[in-house]
């Protein structure tokens, strides 16, 4: 295992590969900063570019694009209270209030540092613990999956400190949106109302933009004078 990790680091520690990674990160920071443009979209657009590269450089570019896209979502989260990517929704909770107090730079710094640390920790877990978790996961039965689902729903209680009623309403709304589309077990269409557009369910990113962006735009418009709004 350690020999493979050492070989992997040695294969990417060269000027060409490092420059390609930086280009991928910088390019996808722009994609992540624009709500609606995701890291997956950037990877799909830049995928033909990798056909003429070596496998190491191609994978390095795609990895840089993915990390840059996920990290770039914190820019509109902090400045506009609109998550650029689904992973950056947590940045709206503390980053936007800090920006309102004139601490946007500090919010960006904290977001970048802890995003890097979380990504590094995730890579270490993926390398060393994922084989063990995979051997356990294949032994899970429907009872364990049901217990995990119940545990996830109980997290609503811990996140609803201010108003339990609002938390329950939000949880039921999320469950209602998640039930639209084909059922994962028997592929039976649920709540599609005969519309083929609803067969795949609701994508996470448009739902987040609708819930956060539209709300923020409406709140901002209420603070404008009629002359400014015109």
């Amino acid at each position: 295992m350690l020999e493979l990790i050492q070989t992997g680091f040695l294969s990417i520690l060269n000027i060409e590969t490092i420059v390609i990674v930086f280009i991928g990160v910088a390019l996808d920071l722009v994609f992540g900063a624009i709500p609606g443009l995701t890291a997956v979209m950037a990877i799909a657009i830049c995928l033909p570019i990798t056909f003429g590269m070596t496998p190491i450089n191609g994978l390095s570019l795609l990895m840089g694009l993915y990390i840059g896209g996920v990290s770039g979502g914190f820019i509109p989260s902090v400045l506009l209270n609109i998550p650029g990517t689904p992973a950056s929704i947590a940045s709206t909770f503390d980053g936007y209030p800090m920006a309102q107090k004139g601490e946007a730079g500090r919010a960006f710094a904290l977001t970048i540092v802890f995003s890097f640390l979380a990504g590094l920790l995730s890579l270490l877990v993926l390398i060393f613990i994922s084989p063990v978790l995979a051997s356990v996961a294949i032994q899970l039965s429907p009872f364990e999956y049901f217990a995990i689902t119940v545990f996830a729903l109980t997290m609503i209680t811990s996140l609803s400190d201010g108003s339990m009623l609002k938390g329950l309403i939000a949880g039921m709304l999320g469950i209602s949106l998640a039930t639209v589309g084909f059922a994962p077990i028997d592929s039976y269409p649920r709540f599609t109302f005969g519309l083929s557009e609803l067969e795949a369910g609701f994508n996470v990113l448009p739902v987040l933009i609708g819930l956060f962006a539209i709300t923020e735009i409406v709140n901002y418009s209420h603070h404008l004078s009629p002359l400014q709004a015109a």
Side-chain angles (χ1 to χ4, degrees):
M1 174 70 73
L2 295 178
E3 294 180 357
L4 294 176
I5 297 175
Q6 182 180 2
T7 303
F9 275 108
L10 292 177
S11 62
I12 64 174
L13 291 179
N14 58 80
I15 300 298
E16 182 182 3
T17 304
I18 293 176
V19 170
I20 288 175
V21 171
F22 274 103
I23 292 175
V25 172
L27 178 62
D28 221 20
L29 280 174
V30 178
F31 275 80
I34 302 176
L37 300 181
T38 62
V40 178
M41 187 181 298
I43 291 175
I45 294 174
C46 297
L47 185 61
I49 301 176
T50 63
F51 294 164
M53 296 181 176
T54 63
I56 294 176
N57 290 342
L59 291 175
S60 299
L61 176 62
L62 297 180
M63 182 65 69
L65 288 170
Y66 179 79
I67 294 176
V70 173
S71 301
F74 69 80
I75 297 177
S77 299
V78 173
L79 297 179
L80 303 175
N81 199 28
I82 301 173
T85 58
S88 61
I89 183 174
S91 302
T92 62
F93 301 153
D94 299 318
Y96 183 71
M98 292 177 65
Q100 294 294 97
K101 298 178 182 179
E103 299 180 348
R106 184 165 177 261
F108 283 142
L110 292 173
T111 305
I112 292 173
V113 170
F114 286 100
S115 176
F116 170 76
L117 294 177
L120 184 61
L121 178 61
S122 300
L123 288 175
L124 294 177
V125 170
L126 179 65
I127 293 173
F128 295 104
I129 303 180
S130 59
V132 180
L133 292 179
S135 62
V136 175
I138 59 177
Q139 300 179 8
L140 296 180
S141 65
F143 299 101
E144 283 78 14
Y145 283 111
F146 177 77
I148 294 174
T149 304
V150 173
F151 173 75
L153 294 177
T154 57
M155 294 295 293
I156 299 175
T157 305
S158 62
L159 298 175
S160 306
D161 295 334
S163 175
M164 184 62 65
L165 179 60
K166 292 182 179 179
L168 292 176
I169 293 175
M172 294 302 298
L173 178 61
I175 294 175
S176 300
L177 294 176
T179 54
V180 177
F182 286 120
I185 298 178
D186 56 2
S187 298
Y188 184 81
R190 304 171 301 181
F191 304 108
T192 58
F193 304 103
L195 300 175
S196 59
E197 292 81 2
L198 295 178
E199 292 178 352
F202 294 103
N203 198 352
V204 176
L205 186 59
V207 172
L208 290 179
I209 292 178
L211 292 176
F212 285 86
I214 302 301
T215 303
E216 190 63 26
I217 292 172
V218 172
N219 290 335
Y220 182 74
S221 64
H222 287 168
H223 292 84
L224 294 176
S225 64
L227 181 60
Q228 291 175 318

